[in-house]
Amino acid sequence: MPRYHPKHYNSRAYKPGHYSAYPRERRPTPRKAWRYTVAAVCLLLIFLFLTSSSPRPAPKETAQPVDPFRRDPIERVEKDDEKPKWEEHDGWLVPFSDTITKNRSLILLPPSREHPLIYTFYDADGERHEQVKTAESRLLQIWKRAWRRRGFKPVILGRAETVENPLYERLKVVEDQNAKLWHEISRWLAWEQVGAAGALVDWLAVPMGSDDEDDVLAFLRRGGFTTITTYEGLGSSLLTGAKASIRDTLEGVLDSVNLSNSKSLLDVLPSEILYKKPQPSFLAFYSSTTLATHYESISKTLTVSKAAGLASLAELITSHLHLTFLNTFSAIEVLTSNTPSPLILAAPALVLANALATCPLSPIPNSCPPNQRTCKPCTPSSSSSSLQPIKFIQSYTNKSTLFTITPVPHPYTLSSLFHPSSILTVSHIRRTPARDPWIRSITPSKPLSGLYSLLDLKSTVARETETVTGLWLPAEDESAWSNQHIESRLGFEVPGYSPCKYSNRDLTALMAFAQKEGEGDSQLSITQMKGQRDIFMRSRSALGISAKTRREDMEVVDAAGSWHLADLEAWGFVTAMGERERRALEDL
C-alpha cells in the first residue's frame, strides 16, 4: 500500500479512489471563455445580416371565421359622428345591439323593405313661363311625397328617356300633326325605356285614404304586372304592364293607319289586348274634368292664369291630404312619460301636434277630395279651429285610430333634469335611485321592463315608421323636427308648422296649453320653465348634436348611457331609424 503523508491523512481529497470515482469538471480558463464569446457574437451578426438582406415572403392570408348570423353592413351613417351608426341585420330584434355588434354605438336595424316603383312623366323641356314651372315643380313634389308615404319609390321620367328609346324616330311624324297624342306616346316610350316593372301614373293623381280600403293599392305594391291594364274612369292616367307588353303595344300603335286621326293612344288599341279593372278608391285624380265639376273656381282661374290656377291647385291638394290625415285618426297623442319635466321634453311634439290638429287652409273651404265625397270637412271658421283633440299620455297604447308623437330623450338629458340644481357628474348618475326611468314609465304593464319593453318598442317603432301611424323622434335632434323631415315622413306639407325654438313666447304658449288641458307641469312658473329650458339646451350641446362635445361632458354622457342601458338603446334605435329614413327620402 502506498504511504500517505501525515499532513494529508485526514483530507478527503486524498482518500484512495475519490478522484477516480468522482472526477471534477474542469472549468475553461478565462482565455478560452473569451474566445467562445467572440465566436457567438460573430455568428449572431452573420445571422442577422442574412435574414435582413434576404426578401421576406408575403404572409399568407388566413381565412377569417364566418359568422352565419352576421351580415355585412349595407349602409352606415358616416356624416355625423355624434349620432349612432347603424347596420341592417336579419337578427335586429334583440334587446341590445352590442350583443351582436360588440359596439355600443352601432345599432342594428331591420332590413329595408324594397319599395315598388311608381313612374310619372313630366316634360320639363317644353316652353312655359317661369311661374308655371315653379307651380308644376311644387305639384310634382306633392306627388312624390304622397306616393313615398304609401311605400312606393316615385320616379319622374322626362324627354331624355323618350329620346333614348329606339322607337322615338317613328314618333317624329306625329309631333307636328297631333301634339296631345305625341305627348301621350312620349309617356309610353319613356316608360318602356326604363325597363323596370312599375306603374305609370299621372302627376295629378295622388293617393288618399286608408291603406286597407283598396285592392288596387295592394296590387300595385305586389307588382308582377303582365298585360297592359287600365282602370275605370282614369283612362291612361294609371297604367300597369310588363316591358314586353308595353313594347308590343307601342309597335302596334305606331304601325296603325289611324294614328294621326286619333285623340288618344287607347283609341288606337284593340279592346281585346287591354285588361280593365274597376276604378280604385284610394286615388284622387285632379283632372280637368274633375276640376270643372267639383272645383269650379280653380278651373276658372286656370283659364285666366295657368300659374295662379296651378298654385291654387297645389294648395287644394295639400289641404285634402291634411284633411285625409285628420279623418283617418280620432285623436293626436303626445307621449310625455312619467319623468321629470315632461312638458319641456314634449315641447317639440306639442308644437307639431297643434299644427296637425289645426284645420288646413284651403282655396275652397268645406271641400273634400274627389275620391272621398263624404268626408268630414274642417274649416277654421268653426267654433274650434281643430278637428281632432290633442291628448297627453304617459304610457303607450297601440291603437290604429290614434296618432302618437313620441319625443325620445337621451339618458343624459333625463339625468340632467333629475339634478337641476347642480352640474351633472358621474357621482350624481350613480346615485340615481332607478335605472331606465323613461322606458319603465311608458311601459308600466311589463313586469320586466328592460328586455321585453325594448323588444316591444323596437317592433312598434319599425312598424310605425313604415306605416306612418306615429312618429318616434329623438327629443334633442333639431333636424328630426325640421319642416322638411316632418313633411317627408307625413307625406304632405303642414303649412302652420314651425319647429319649436324654445323661446319665451314658445314657453308661454306651451304653459297655457298645458294649463288648458290640465296635464303636464301646468303649475310651473315661467322662471322654472326657463330653468328647464337651459338644462335641456345644455344637454343638447353636450350630446354633440348642435355643438362640439367637451371631454368632461363626454365622460358624463358615457356614464349616463352605461347606467341606463335600456333607455340608451331606445334612443339610439329611434335616432338610427330616423336617420335612415331621412337619407332614403333625400335620395328621391
Side-chain angles (χ1 to χ4, degrees):
M1 293 183 62
R3 296 177 63 88
Y4 295 97
H5 193 277
K7 181 179 178 180
H8 304 289
Y9 183 77
N10 295 325
S11 176
R12 184 180 177 184
Y14 291 95
K15 288 183 180 180
H18 181 78
Y19 280 120
S20 58
Y22 304 98
R24 290 187 178 182
E25 180 181 1
R26 294 188 177 184
R27 297 181 179 178
T29 60
R31 186 175 183 181
K32 290 184 179 181
W34 178 81
R35 290 179 181 178
Y36 292 155
T37 304
V38 172
V41 171
C42 292
L43 291 175
L44 179 61
L45 293 176
I46 294 173
F47 174 77
L48 293 176
F49 175 77
L50 293 177
T51 55
S52 61
S53 59
S54 59
R56 295 182 179 180
K60 296 182 180 180
E61 297 183 358
T62 58
Q64 298 293 331
V66 179
D67 186 358
F69 301 100
R70 179 87 181 266
R71 296 193 332 173
D72 292 334
I74 297 178
E75 291 188 55
R76 295 184 184 178
V77 177
E78 301 292 347
K79 185 177 180 180
D80 299 321
D81 293 334
E82 298 87 355
K83 298 180 182 180
K85 300 179 181 180
W86 49 269
E87 173 185 332
E88 295 184 351
H89 196 283
D90 290 329
W92 64 276
L93 194 56
V94 292
F96 300 101
S97 298
D98 58 358
T99 57
I100 297 178
T101 63
K102 308 304 179 183
N103 183 356
R104 187 185 296 176
S105 62
L106 184 59
I107 303 297
L108 294 180
L109 298 183
S112 299
R113 185 170 60 89
E114 185 176 356
H115 298 282
L117 296 171
I118 192 83
Y119 297 103
T120 194
F121 181 83
Y122 174 72
D123 187 9
D125 298 330
E127 295 183 2
R128 54 176 66 87
H129 196 272
E130 191 65 29
Q131 293 180 349
V132 175
K133 288 185 177 180
T134 302
E136 290 177 344
S137 298
R138 185 183 177 188
L139 286 168
L140 287 170
Q141 190 66 24
I142 293 173
W143 178 87
K144 288 177 62 177
R145 284 201 201 102
W147 282 102
R148 180 59 176 81
R149 153 70 177 82
R150 298 296 174 138
F152 292 86
K153 183 177 181 180
V155 179
I156 299 177
L157 305 176
R159 186 175 295 189
E161 288 79 13
T162 302
V163 174
E164 292 177 359
N165 196 304
L167 299 176
Y168 177 72
E169 296 296 330
R170 302 170 60 181
L171 181 63
K172 291 183 177 180
V173 295
V174 186
E175 185 174 3
D176 298 332
Q177 300 176 1
N178 193 333
K180 183 178 180 180
L181 183 62
W182 176 87
H183 181 271
E184 186 175 353
I185 298 178
S186 297
R187 295 174 65 236
W188 285 65
L189 289 176
W191 184 29
E192 192 272 338
Q193 177 61 27
V194 292
L200 180 65
V201 64
D202 193 285
W203 47 277
L204 292 178
V206 182
M208 295 186 192
S210 176
D211 293 351
D212 303 328
E213 292 179 355
D214 197 275
D215 295 334
V216 177
L217 183 60
F219 170 68
L220 295 179
R221 287 171 174 167
R222 288 194 306 268
F225 311 124
T226 53
T227 59
I228 299 296
T229 304
T230 61
Y231 297 84
E232 191 71 32
L234 296 177
S236 60
S237 299
L238 176 59
L239 300 166
T240 57
K243 179 180 176 64
S245 60
I246 299 171
R247 188 170 188 85
D248 294 341
T249 302
L250 283 171
E251 290 179 348
V253 168
L254 294 175
D255 292 338
S256 176
V257 295
N258 300 323
L259 180 60
S260 58
N261 300 325
S262 302
K263 296 181 179 180
S264 173
L265 184 144
L266 298 180
D267 297 339
V268 185
L269 296 176
S271 58
E272 58 269 14
I273 71 172
L274 294 177
Y275 182 74
K276 184 173 289 187
K277 284 190 174 185
Q279 183 175 358
S281 61
F282 80 96
L283 198 62
F285 183 35
Y286 295 83
S287 63
S288 58
T289 304
T290 302
L291 294 178
T293 304
H294 301 291
Y295 316 104
E296 187 177 357
S297 60
I298 293 182
S299 180
K300 291 180 179 180
T301 306
L302 282 169
T303 58
V304 177
S305 172
K306 187 175 182 180
L310 292 176
S312 298
L313 180 58
E315 297 289 343
L316 180 68
I317 298 176
T318 299
S319 66
H320 287 172
L321 287 168
H322 194 167
L323 182 62
T324 302
F325 171 85
L326 293 176
N327 279 261
T328 302
F329 301 100
S330 59
I332 300 176
E333 295 182 334
V334 175
L335 183 57
T336 59
S337 74
N338 188 17
T339 55
S341 309
L343 189 58
I344 195 66
L345 293 177
L350 287 172
V351 173
L352 176 58
N354 191 31
L356 286 174
T358 304
C359 294
L361 296 176
S362 173
I364 306 179
N366 295 322
S367 63
C368 292
N371 63 325
Q372 303 175 34
R373 305 308 305 168
T374 59
C375 74
K376 183 181 179 181
C378 179
T379 57
S381 59
S382 61
S383 58
S384 176
S385 61
S386 61
L387 184 62
Q388 303 298 351
I390 300 175
K391 298 180 180 179
F392 286 89
I393 57 173
Q394 294 184 351
S395 60
Y396 177 75
T397 54
N398 185 12
K399 293 183 179 180
S400 59
T401 58
L402 301 176
F403 187 84
T404 307
I405 306 174
T406 308
V408 183
H410 190 278
Y412 178 80
T413 304
L414 281 181
S415 300
S416 300
L417 293 172
F418 265 122
H419 305 278
S421 60
S422 59
I423 299 178
L424 190 65
T425 62
V426 177
S427 300
H428 287 104
I429 295 174
R430 290 176 178 175
R431 290 197 297 267
T432 302
R435 293 192 175 187
D436 306 315
W438 183 82
I439 199 168
R440 288 176 182 270
S441 64
I442 67 170
T443 56
S445 60
K446 297 293 181 181
L448 299 176
S449 59
L451 301 181
Y452 295 104
S453 296
L454 271 176
L455 295 178
D456 289 345
L457 181 138
K458 288 185 176 183
S459 300
T460 302
V461 172
R463 182 184 69 253
E464 294 190 353
T465 302
E466 288 291 338
T467 60
V468 198
T469 54
L471 290 176
W472 298 74
L473 303 172
E476 304 86 0
D477 192 355
E478 293 179 276
S479 62
W481 301 92
S482 64
N483 288 73
Q484 181 181 3
H485 183 72
I486 294 297
E487 292 169 359
S488 299
R489 294 284 295 274
L490 294 176
F492 60 90
E493 298 177 8
V494 188
Y497 173 65
S498 179
C500 182
K501 302 298 182 183
Y502 298 94
S503 62
N504 293 340
R505 182 178 179 181
D506 291 338
L507 296 181
T508 303
L510 288 173
M511 291 179 61
F513 185 83
Q515 291 174 1
K516 177 182 176 182
E517 299 295 327
E519 298 286 347
D521 298 332
S522 56
Q523 304 302 322
L524 290 178
S525 64
I526 186 64
T527 304
Q528 292 173 318
M529 284 293 296
K530 289 180 180 180
Q532 293 180 4
R533 176 192 60 188
D534 295 339
I535 295 174
F536 180 81
M537 291 301 179
R538 186 167 63 244
S539 174
R540 172 187 286 181
S541 176
L543 290 175
I545 294 176
S546 60
K548 293 296 183 181
T549 304
R550 296 185 300 128
R551 186 181 185 88
E552 298 83 0
D553 292 334
M554 200 63 203
E555 293 178 356
V556 183
V557 170
D558 291 341
S562 300
W563 195 253
H564 308 289
L565 288 176
D567 283 356
L568 178 66
E569 181 75 14
W571 180 86
F573 186 81
V574 169
T575 303
M577 285 290 293
E579 183 69 14
R580 183 179 71 171
E581 187 71 10
R582 182 185 64 82
R583 289 165 65 90
L585 294 171
E586 287 180 352
D587 294 338
L588 294 179

